[in-house]
Amino acid sequence: MLDEIGPLPAEAEEIYQGFLSRPLATESMLKKMVEQYLKIVLPFLTDLDSHASRTARQIGSGLLSLLKDCPEDQFRHVQAATLYFASYEDAQPDIESDDGFDDDAEVFNAVCVLLGRDDLKVP
């Protein structure tokens, strides 16, 4: 049985659980998803040193690391965090404010804690 993830913001919990129940994709597919999403979203963040831009890049980098090193029995959680990050329909629209990736960071950080990878957490 999968370990339970720590508490998530209420608005993110239902979305995350939906992603958690999806069929598993391959590591390669999920890596491409992260890379493509960053290519799409970063140009919309005109100030590349903004909070949103830094957060998006940190989450993307962290997800790529988790995808590479994730224990097989926890892969579903990394996939759910990846889908959450790459989704336009998460709890907070990513590019509409400088805080748009904060909910993505909370989901990512909860998965990092679950996997014992506090070193990858986004501040």
Side-chain angles (χ1 to χ4, degrees), residues 7 9-10 20 23 25 42 45 49 60 63 91 105 111 119 121:
L20 195 61
L42 287 177
L45 306 172
D49 195 37
L63 285 168
V111 171
D119 60 304
K121 287 174 60 177

Side-chain angles (χ1 to χ4, degrees), residues 45-55 57 98:
L45 306 172
T46 55
D47 179 1
L48 292 179
D49 195 37
S50 70
H51 171 73
S53 179
R54 285 190 313 273
T55 303
R57 289 191 318 264
D98 203 36

Side-chain angles (χ1 to χ4, degrees), residues 14-120:
E14 185 177 340
I15 297 166
Y16 179 83
Q17 291 300 326
F19 289 142
L20 195 61
S21 67
R22 292 215 179 153
L24 289 177
T26 65
E27 176 186 334
S28 175
M29 289 172 61
L30 294 172
K31 283 182 178 181
K32 285 179 186 174
M33 183 180 292
V34 170
E35 292 164 351
Q36 285 298 104
Y37 189 66
L38 287 172
K39 282 182 185 178
I40 291 168
V41 76
L42 287 177
F44 287 98
L45 306 172
T46 55
D47 179 1
L48 292 179
D49 195 37
S50 70
H51 171 73
S53 179
R54 285 190 313 273
T55 303
R57 289 191 318 264
Q58 288 174 325
I59 295 169
S61 176
L63 285 168
L64 293 174
S65 292
L66 287 179
L67 286 164
K68 179 181 171 193
D69 299 327
C70 178
E72 190 175 318
D73 64 334
Q74 297 298 329
F75 188 80
R76 187 170 297 281
H77 283 284
V78 178
Q79 174 177 288
T82 300
L83 294 172
Y84 191 96
F85 173 68
S87 174
Y88 292 108
E89 297 180 22
D90 57 21
Q92 189 172 348
D94 293 339
I95 59 174
E96 290 184 14
S97 77
D98 203 36
D99 299 328
F101 285 97
D102 287 359
D103 60 314
D104 303 75
E106 289 183 71
V107 168
F108 174 74
N109 287 344
V111 171
C112 286
V113 169
L114 176 69
L115 298 176
R117 293 299 311 267
D118 288 357
D119 60 304
L120 294 175

